[in-house]
Amino acid sequence: MSPVAQYRDRRVSFLMSSVAISTTSPDAQAAPSGRSWRSPPSWGVILLAPYVLVFAVFVVYPVCYGFWIGRRPESYVTLFDDPIFARAVVNTLVFLIVGINFKMVVALFLSDFFVQQRVWIRWLAAIFILPWALPSIPTILSIRFMLNPEWGLVNSLIFRLTGEDGPNWLNDPTVALTMAIGVHIWKSLPFWTLILLTGRLAIPNDLFEAAEVDGASWWQKFRFITWPSMQMLYITCTLLSMIWTLGDFNSVYLLTGGGPADLTHVLATLGIRYLRLDQLSLAMASIVCALPFVLPLMYFMMKRLSR
């Protein structure tokens, strides 16, 4: 046998032995399991675990605990017999149907106003957004102090101008609830105007320029261009605003405290009233009673978003 053939045979036998050793080595068999934690699915589980833990502790557990506290039928019987609960349901419906829809209609038309490219409108938009940007507690309490019947700013101006004492603004349930709705609109209107403004900016200007050439009026441009393009966004924002408002107690609780005589409570503040009276089961029952309002709104919103 030639030297070249002997070298080739020794090379082939060496490679075969190396393959045999690598296939039977325990380290080689254990290597895939040692590298499994580096795979993308494993990293996904590791990164998702803190979120799941926080969600379970701060969302799932409180909700389940609230349902457990409000599980007794006697709590709902007592709640339905309370006349304040019936008044709170009516106030909640008025808040949602009147307040939210009025707010969103105004936000829709204001978004068409702020879309204009003028310097003074930009400065006005910066001032307009301040109520939403400022914290709720100091702003709403400031309005409450302004409406104080004895030393409030509003009645002081009335006395200086007319020489007569101003009314007790928050002593009438209808006026107090109207004030609470007005404060809610004043506080959240800039946010929804900004959201609708982004949708308005997404409409091509070519459509408005073509309508302008055809002699279309402002109402015709709004009816045939703006509204069809923003209808989906408007309805989604309205439903989302209703869901958020059901859990918003700042406007009513900080302004009226549910008064006078607990006649301006909504479902979000009624639970706080029962907590102050040390009636935890009624507080949880009142919150559970808000679900018939929340679940249909969530269903319609998700149904529209899935189209």
Side-chain angles (χ1 to χ4, degrees):
M1 183 180 297
S2 64
V4 175
Q6 293 178 359
Y7 174 77
R8 184 179 56 193
D9 293 340
R10 287 197 298 268
R11 182 66 176 176
V12 171
S13 61
F14 175 76
L15 292 176
M16 293 179 63
S17 62
S18 300
V19 171
I21 293 174
S22 62
T23 55
T24 58
S25 174
D27 296 337
Q29 294 178 357
S33 61
R35 292 192 301 267
S36 62
W37 66 273
R38 299 181 181 178
S39 60
S42 300
W43 271 111
V45 173
I46 294 173
L47 296 175
L48 192 61
Y51 170 78
V52 174
L53 180 62
V54 171
F55 183 80
V57 172
F58 293 100
V59 178
V60 177
Y61 173 72
V63 170
C64 294
Y65 184 67
F67 278 117
W68 183 80
I69 294 177
R71 72 189 186 280
R72 299 175 182 175
E74 297 83 5
S75 302
Y76 297 92
V77 174
T78 305
L79 181 65
F80 294 155
D81 291 338
D82 190 353
I84 299 177
F85 171 74
R87 184 60 182 255
V89 172
V90 174
N91 293 340
T92 302
L93 292 175
V94 171
F95 218 105
L96 294 180
I97 298 175
V98 178
I100 302 303
N101 285 283
F102 179 78
K103 175 185 66 177
M104 297 306 299
V105 170
V106 174
L108 179 63
F109 286 101
L110 284 178
S111 66
D112 196 62
F113 169 75
F114 284 114
V115 78
Q116 302 180 56
Q117 300 295 329
R118 298 180 182 178
V119 178
W120 68 272
I121 291 181
R122 294 180 181 179
W123 283 102
L124 183 62
I127 300 174
F128 176 73
I129 205 172
L130 286 178
W132 171 72
L134 295 175
S136 298
I137 294 179
T139 53
I140 298 178
L141 288 180
S142 298
I143 297 176
R144 182 173 181 174
F145 295 153
M146 291 170 60
L147 297 176
N148 188 279
E150 298 179 0
W151 43 264
L153 177 62
V154 177
N155 283 1
S156 297
L157 291 176
I158 293 176
F159 181 78
R160 290 182 180 180
L161 295 176
T162 64
E164 298 180 359
D165 294 332
N168 191 344
W169 298 99
L170 303 179
N171 196 39
D172 183 82
T174 304
V175 176
L177 184 62
T178 304
M179 291 288 184
I181 295 176
V183 168
H184 169 79
I185 294 174
W186 171 78
K187 191 77 177 64
S188 58
L189 180 62
F191 173 77
W192 295 112
T193 303
L194 183 63
I195 297 298
L196 295 177
L197 178 60
T198 58
R200 173 63 178 80
L201 291 174
I203 303 176
N205 288 327
D206 297 342
L207 299 177
F208 295 98
E209 293 176 357
E212 189 76 21
V213 172
D214 293 338
S217 63
W218 175 87
W219 172 250
Q220 290 174 332
K221 288 187 287 186
F222 177 83
R223 179 182 177 184
F224 296 106
I225 300 177
T226 304
W227 174 246
S229 302
M230 298 182 59
Q231 183 179 6
M232 180 68 177
L233 177 63
Y234 177 83
I235 296 177
T236 303
C237 290
T238 302
L239 295 175
L240 188 60
S241 179
M242 288 184 176
I243 295 173
W244 287 356
T245 304
L246 280 171
D248 178 25
F249 64 93
N250 292 333
S251 302
V252 175
Y253 191 76
L254 295 177
L255 185 66
T256 68
D262 293 327
L263 294 178
T264 59
H265 276 296
V266 292
L267 290 177
T269 61
L270 188 62
I272 300 177
R273 173 184 179 270
Y274 289 126
L275 286 176
R276 294 175 60 183
L277 297 176
D278 199 20
Q279 296 176 337
L280 184 59
S281 60
L282 292 181
M284 293 298 105
S286 64
I287 295 174
V288 172
C289 288
L291 291 179
F293 297 93
V294 176
L295 295 180
L297 294 175
M298 294 182 61
Y299 170 77
F300 286 117
M301 185 183 70
M302 298 306 297
K303 186 177 181 180
R304 295 194 66 86
L305 290 177
S306 61
R307 291 180 180 178

